[in-house]
Amino acid sequence: MIEVIEAIEKIAIRIKGAFIEEDISYSNTINATGDVQLKLDIKSDLIVEEELSKVYTLKEIISEEKEHILTINPDGKYTIAYDPLDGSSLADVNLSVGSIFGIYEDGISGENLKAAVYVIYGPRVEMVVARDTVEMYKLGTNNKFKFLNRIMLNEKGKLNAPGGTQQYWRAYHKKMIDTLFSRGYRLRYSGGMVPDLHQILLKGGGLFSYPGTIDKPKGKLRMLFEVFPFAFIYEKAGGKAIDGKKRLLDLIPTHIHDTTPCFFGSNEEIEFVKKSYKDEL
Ligand code: F6P
């Protein structure tokens, strides 16, 4: 596993370099989910593929930017699913973006997830690695990652990051979000899953939601590349991650690009989501 984490460190350093050196405009291609790709998406995907292909323990790689699974070593042990540059359109306006990785052994399901890692590119580059615990590292001027601290969520937080187009929220979802605000929760939503979930983790807790909406009943965020890795990280940090009712890591994708409604948070907020969604869906 350490060889996979070391490859992710190299990827982070190269993607950070790409922000300065590369053209950040849109390309004329679309990815597997139908999003128009930025040239930076294509470059980041190339960097990730190049570095991961050198890791002998990796059997398969699955990219958010690609239609199919790529076998790199039939004798390898792990499958890694990744989003090379999540929220990449925010790079355009100089906001934080991130890379997300989920490392599976013996098949791609929540229970086979052995580790999850994300890298956040902001004023600093930080990497968060979840195995039995959740640990944060910071990239130094010597281009080495240094351990900073362990991350644990409080039982209850103060932040609320509500995703999805409000025009299409269902009435019970709107009521739930409004109730949190009426209880003093503060709005923190940048539109980048990595920085939005990172902020909640580091500030002790709260709720990030991306619900099923009238226009997108299955939500927007992808199980393999975004949802499962963060569900794993939140659980290992002492929080919870559900689809409104069920534990996210118990869901089984039928296709590698499947999406699901998702809620990540500290325990008290997730209990409140369950209560609000109990008689709905
Ligand atoms: O999946 C890409 C992404 O940019 C996530 O990083 C983010 O949480 C979400 O989409 C934002 O979606 P919306 O613009 O609908 O709030």
Side-chain angles (χ1 to χ4, degrees):
M1 182 65 77
I2 186 71
E3 62 292 345
V4 182
I5 313 288
E6 282 170 1
I8 294 174
E9 292 180 1
K10 289 186 191 139
I11 289 165
I13 293 165
R14 289 185 61 190
I15 292 182
K16 174 188 155 243
F19 290 126
I20 300 163
E21 288 153 19
E22 303 289 329
D23 175 358
I24 58 165
S25 63
Y26 282 93
S27 68
N28 50 13
T29 54
I30 55 164
N31 67 11
T33 349
D35 306 325
V36 180
Q37 288 178 302
L38 284 164
K39 290 181 185 161
L40 212 49
D41 286 319
I42 301 170
K43 177 73 188 179
S44 305
D45 195 35
L46 213 71
I47 291 173
V48 179
E49 189 180 329
E50 258 175 42
E51 293 299 335
L52 293 183
S53 301
K54 297 178 199 160
V55 182
Y56 64 99
T57 51
L58 288 179
K59 183 179 181 181
E60 298 163 322
I61 63 176
I62 313 176
S63 169
E64 191 255 341
E65 298 295 332
K66 291 188 178 62
E67 186 75 48
H68 303 290
I69 301 178
L70 212 70
T71 301
I72 53 169
N73 172 15
D75 300 323
K77 186 173 175 188
Y78 304 113
T79 296
I80 186 163
Y82 58 90
D83 187 345
L85 202 59
D86 187 73
S88 55
S89 64
L90 295 176
D92 233 4
V93 291
N94 207 15
L95 286 177
S96 297
V97 291
S99 305
I100 313 170
F101 304 85
I103 302 148
Y104 301 82
E105 191 178 341
D106 298 327
I108 39 175
S109 67
E111 63 168 348
N112 292 334
L113 195 49
K114 294 293 170 240
V117 179
Y118 69 85
V119 178
I120 176 161
Y121 311 93
R124 293 189 297 271
V125 175
E126 288 168 349
M127 177 175 73
V128 172
V129 180
R131 279 176 283 186
D132 293 333
T133 57
V134 184
E135 298 182 343
M136 181 162 77
Y137 298 81
K138 180 183 104 164
L139 184 64
T141 44
N142 58 358
N143 259 356
K144 297 226 176 311
F145 278 92
K146 185 174 169 237
F147 173 72
L148 285 183
N149 52 267
R150 270 181 66 178
I151 298 176
M152 273 308 280
L153 284 159
N154 297 333
E155 273 300 293
K156 173 186 181 315
K158 293 186 184 133
L159 305 183
N160 190 10
T165 308
Q166 297 192 17
Q167 180 189 3
Y168 300 119
W169 283 356
R170 297 190 188 274
Y172 54 86
H173 182 77
K174 180 171 168 30
K175 188 169 163 220
M176 181 186 84
I177 297 296
D178 287 347
T179 306
L180 288 176
F181 285 128
S182 72
R183 292 179 184 171
Y185 281 79
R186 294 167 68 86
L187 175 66
R188 291 290 181 270
Y189 191 77
S190 74
M193 187 183 193
V194 176
D196 288 335
L197 283 165
H198 188 64
Q199 177 163 214
I200 290 173
L201 279 172
L202 296 197
K203 301 254 164 100
L207 179 70
F208 173 98
S209 47
Y210 208 106
T213 49
I214 292 161
D215 61 331
K216 287 183 187 161
K218 294 199 165 159
K220 174 184 185 189
L221 300 178
R222 282 143 288 212
M223 286 192 201
L224 287 189
F225 314 110
E226 295 163 314
V227 173
F228 284 177
F230 270 109
F232 186 86
I233 292 166
Y234 266 62
E235 286 193 1
K236 294 292 178 188
K240 289 198 174 95
I242 62 168
D243 72 350
K245 289 187 172 169
K246 289 191 287 290
R247 182 176 172 248
L248 287 167
L249 289 176
D250 287 338
L251 303 179
I252 311 279
T254 53
H255 184 276
I256 60 171
H257 289 282
D258 277 355
T259 62
T260 177
C262 53
F263 301 81
F264 305 86
S266 23
N267 290 326
E268 219 178 285
E269 287 80 2
I270 294 294
E271 286 313 312
F272 179 57
V273 176
K274 280 189 189 159
K275 219 167 126 196
S276 310
Y277 269 68
K278 190 165 55 76
D279 302 319
E280 313 296 346
L281 298 174

